[in-house]
Amino acid sequence: MNAGQQTTRRLASRAGQSICRSCRDSISRTYASAAAAAVQTEDQISQHIPPVAQASPSTSYAVNAGIVLSRPPQITRDLHPFESAFFLYQRRLNERLALPFTRYFYFKKRTPADLEWKRKMKQRLTPARDIGRYKGYGEEAWNDEVLVGANESKFEWQVEKLLEDAEQSGAEPGAADAPGTKKIEREPVDRPMPRVTEADKKNDTKSLDRALQRTLYLLVKNKEGRWEFPQDKLREENLHGAAHRIITHTGGVNINTWLVGHVPIGHHQIDYPEARPVENLNEHGAKTFFLKARIMAGQVNLKENKLGLQDFKWLAKDELKQEVDGSYWRSIKNMLAER
């Protein structure tokens, strides 16, 4: 049976009318080519339209808003050994290129800067303060490489030498006590803050003064005893409004935060072993959509939190992995910064 005959039979059956054989054959011959081009067979239709599974209208998921609250790095990271060696090489090379110039290229004669330079050169024996001594002229001029393990290659040693040079006036010991000599007063030098804090030494995970080179994330222990990001169900509000409420209900009103955007940066889904009846629906799980936020000032205070939270920690990405469940970690790991 060709396509035209199939079309005729279907039209007849739909209209509930009977057609004689001669009329049916005439229609088939006249419209066979047009019907073959326009009509697909039932087999072809079944190949192109996959069956669609109809979800039960009573099936639903609870929608939660979660907060990825973070404190960004406060200081630059430690240099890689190759970077440290390269920067030291560049500073020493710059000194070699500057040696042929007379000091009057940098300092005007008989100015305080020129006098201080001459005094300090007697103590330094080299223009450089932080990269070691070097004789640009003489038999040892060729010996300008830093040996492996030398103190000059250590960052802490370089900082101490710079501070020591800034604190000294360049005068000889006891010279200020000589008759007719004016004592040189030096202003106190502010020393840099340590890169390793007391919170690092004590491993105080509740402090924001630890791991200054890393990004720290707020992790809370919920009322079931599970560690996760702060979250709660939506209450006739959008995600952005719920995020503001969750931050206040978690950390209190004395925490200054900033929501970075209105768009979620990720989500986590939980499927319940058995459906939970909620009003007229059966909840088969929960979906949590996370928004990104930054802490600007303040600290978390759980004394008056309204979410039943038991504890909190500020953790880096690798530390956070040890606290959360495996499925939760797989959902959130790509949202977190490595440092």
Side-chain angles (χ1 to χ4, degrees), residues 77-94:
R77 62 174 175 82
D78 291 335
L79 294 178
H80 187 275
F82 176 80
E83 293 174 322
S84 180
F86 179 77
F87 292 148
L88 177 62
Y89 167 77
Q90 289 292 329
R91 292 199 300 273
R92 291 174 66 87
L93 178 61
N94 183 66

Side-chain angles (χ1 to χ4, degrees), residues 155-172:
F155 175 77
E156 295 80 7
W157 188 89
Q158 298 170 13
V159 172
E160 287 299 325
K161 283 298 179 182
L162 289 173
L163 292 172
E164 178 184 337
D165 187 79
E167 292 172 349
Q168 293 178 354
S169 63
E172 295 291 338

Side-chain angles (χ1 to χ4, degrees), residues 8 27 52 66 91-92 94 104 112 129 132 136 145-146 150 160 164 182 186 227 242 258-259 272 298 303 317 337:
T8 302
I27 294 174
V52 178
R91 292 199 300 273
R92 291 174 66 87
N94 183 66
Y104 301 122
R129 297 166 291 183
E145 296 295 333
V146 178
E160 287 299 325
E164 178 184 337
K182 183 179 180 180
R186 302 294 296 180
W227 288 98
W258 168 54
L259 279 171
Y272 301 149
K303 290 183 179 179
K317 181 178 181 179

Side-chain angles (χ1 to χ4, degrees), residues 2-277:
N2 56 31
Q5 292 172 339
Q6 293 177 359
T7 303
T8 302
R9 178 168 295 179
R10 284 198 296 270
L11 292 173
S13 62
R14 290 175 184 176
Q17 300 175 355
S18 60
I19 302 177
C20 65
R21 182 182 298 274
S22 60
C23 294
R24 187 173 58 199
D25 294 338
S26 176
I27 294 174
S28 301
R29 288 190 300 270
T30 305
Y31 299 103
S33 58
V39 180
Q40 290 181 324
T41 64
E42 294 179 359
D43 292 339
Q44 291 173 326
I45 294 175
S46 63
Q47 292 175 2
H48 289 81
I49 303 178
V52 178
Q54 296 293 333
S56 173
S58 62
T59 302
S60 66
Y61 279 80
V63 179
N64 301 332
I67 306 299
V68 182
L69 183 62
S70 63
R71 187 224 66 189
Q74 303 298 296
I75 59 176
T76 56
R77 62 174 175 82
D78 291 335
L79 294 178
H80 187 275
F82 176 80
E83 293 174 322
S84 180
F86 179 77
F87 292 148
L88 177 62
Y89 167 77
Q90 289 292 329
R91 292 199 300 273
R92 291 174 66 87
L93 178 61
N94 183 66
E95 182 196 41
R96 307 303 183 268
L97 297 176
L99 278 178
F101 290 88
T102 177
R103 73 170 186 272
Y104 301 122
F105 180 81
Y106 303 98
F107 307 107
K108 190 176 181 179
K109 285 185 179 181
R110 292 181 295 277
T111 60
D114 180 41
L115 296 177
E116 182 176 3
W117 171 266
K118 289 190 291 185
R119 288 196 303 267
K120 288 190 174 183
M121 277 296 294
K122 293 180 181 180
Q123 296 177 348
R124 295 178 186 162
L125 302 178
T126 180
R129 297 166 291 183
D130 58 329
I131 57 178
R133 182 181 175 185
Y134 169 68
K135 295 181 180 180
Y137 306 98
E139 297 179 356
E140 296 293 326
W142 60 270
N143 189 13
D144 62 344
E145 296 295 333
V146 178
L147 301 180
V148 176
N151 289 329
E152 289 82 359
S153 62
K154 299 177 182 178
F155 175 77
E156 295 80 7
W157 188 89
Q158 298 170 13
V159 172
E160 287 299 325
K161 283 298 179 182
L162 289 173
L163 292 172
E164 178 184 337
D165 187 79
E167 292 172 349
Q168 293 178 354
S169 63
E172 295 291 338
D177 299 330
T181 303
K182 183 179 180 180
K183 185 177 181 180
I184 302 175
E185 298 289 343
R186 302 294 296 180
E187 295 183 359
V189 177
D190 294 331
R191 303 184 71 86
M193 298 295 292
R195 298 175 67 87
V196 178
T197 64
E198 290 296 327
D200 286 316
K201 297 176 182 178
K202 298 178 181 178
N203 195 26
D204 184 4
T205 56
K206 288 183 170 57
S207 174
L208 285 166
D209 293 331
R210 62 179 290 270
L212 299 180
Q213 305 178 37
R214 305 289 304 277
T215 300
L216 296 182
Y217 297 94
L218 176 62
L219 203 66
V220 295
K221 181 187 287 188
N222 62 14
K223 53 188 176 183
E224 289 85 14
R226 186 172 58 253
W227 288 98
E228 60 186 12
F229 291 134
Q231 66 179 49
D232 194 18
K233 284 188 177 182
L234 266 64
R235 305 176 183 176
E236 298 181 358
E237 57 196 351
N238 56 27
L239 286 174
H240 196 265
H244 276 291
R245 175 178 57 81
I246 293 170
I247 291 176
T248 304
H249 287 183
T250 299
V253 296
N254 293 324
I255 182 172
N256 185 4
T257 59
W258 168 54
L259 279 171
V260 177
H262 293 255
V263 180
I265 59 175
H267 84 286
H268 174 63
Q269 178 175 326
I270 299 177
D271 295 317
Y272 301 149
E274 296 181 359
R276 302 177 182 178

Side-chain angles (χ1 to χ4, degrees), residues 310-325:
Q310 305 176 33
D311 200 0
F312 75 94
K313 292 181 180 180
W314 289 98
L315 301 178
K317 181 178 181 179
D318 52 349
E319 298 170 333
L320 192 146
K321 181 180 179 181
Q322 309 301 324
E323 299 291 344
V324 300
D325 296 336

